[in-house]
Amino acid sequence: MTTLKVLLVVFVGFAGGLAVGTGFVAFLVVLGVIPRLTQLTKTTKRIHAYEWSAVAGAIVGGWMSLCHSVWHLSKYWLVPIGLFHGVFIGMLAAALTEVLNVWPILAKRIGVDDKIVILLMAIAFGKVAGSLFHWLYFVDHFR
């Protein structure tokens, strides 16, 4: 590769990382997701732990994506790791929907005000079915 191509790749990579990082910070700060998450879980005394865990997660996640690290763990570790990821994503989604008040607006727009519970259950079961289909059909755990 020529020096110009290397500099272009470095610039594009840096710009992409900067854009994603800025979006992540805007998501957490402007929408107030972390304070709302601490309110939902009644752990407002530990807000600094939430903030530092978000920062540490972003740093470790960025580093792991750059290093292509592979952990040689037993398949039995998938259950607790999956549970922790599911709890984190679920709580983050709950905090986001609380902040944005998404479901009532969506229900009014599509005309199902009286069937909001059915809408939420359909979304939840769809996520579960999609995840199960992905992990049982596409992923081969026994290599």
Side-chain angles (χ1 to χ4, degrees):
M1 287 179 93
T2 65
T3 305
L4 184 60
K5 286 183 181 179
V6 170
L7 289 175
L8 183 65
V9 168
V10 168
F11 176 74
V12 169
F14 184 72
L18 195 61
V20 170
T22 304
F24 181 70
V25 169
F27 171 72
L28 293 177
V29 173
V30 173
L31 296 179
V33 172
I34 290 179
R36 184 63 184 145
L37 186 60
T38 59
Q39 287 176 353
L40 287 174
T41 59
K42 297 177 179 64
T43 56
T44 47
K45 292 179 182 177
R46 297 191 177 122
I47 192 165
H48 294 297
Y50 280 88
E51 292 169 348
W52 279 108
S53 64
V55 169
I59 291 171
V60 170
W63 180 256
M64 287 182 68
S65 69
L66 289 174
C67 292
H68 301 290
S69 59
V70 176
W71 293 2
H72 299 287
L73 297 174
S74 169
K75 64 182 174 183
Y76 300 110
W77 280 99
L78 291 177
V79 173
I81 290 172
L83 283 173
F84 286 138
H85 280 90
V87 167
F88 174 74
I89 297 298
M91 304 249 318
L92 196 61
L96 181 61
T97 55
E98 286 285 324
V99 169
L100 294 180
N101 225 356
V102 171
W103 300 118
I105 295 169
L106 178 67
K108 283 183 182 178
R109 289 216 177 146
I110 62 175
V112 290
D113 298 356
D114 54 340
K115 300 201 180 358
I116 189 97
V117 173
I118 295 172
L119 176 68
L120 290 174
M121 294 305 289
I123 291 170
F125 287 136
K127 295 287 282 178
V128 169
S131 296
L132 287 174
F133 178 76
H134 172 77
W135 285 106
L136 296 176
Y137 185 75
F138 286 117
V139 178
D140 184 15
H141 295 290
F142 303 107
R143 282 192 187 194

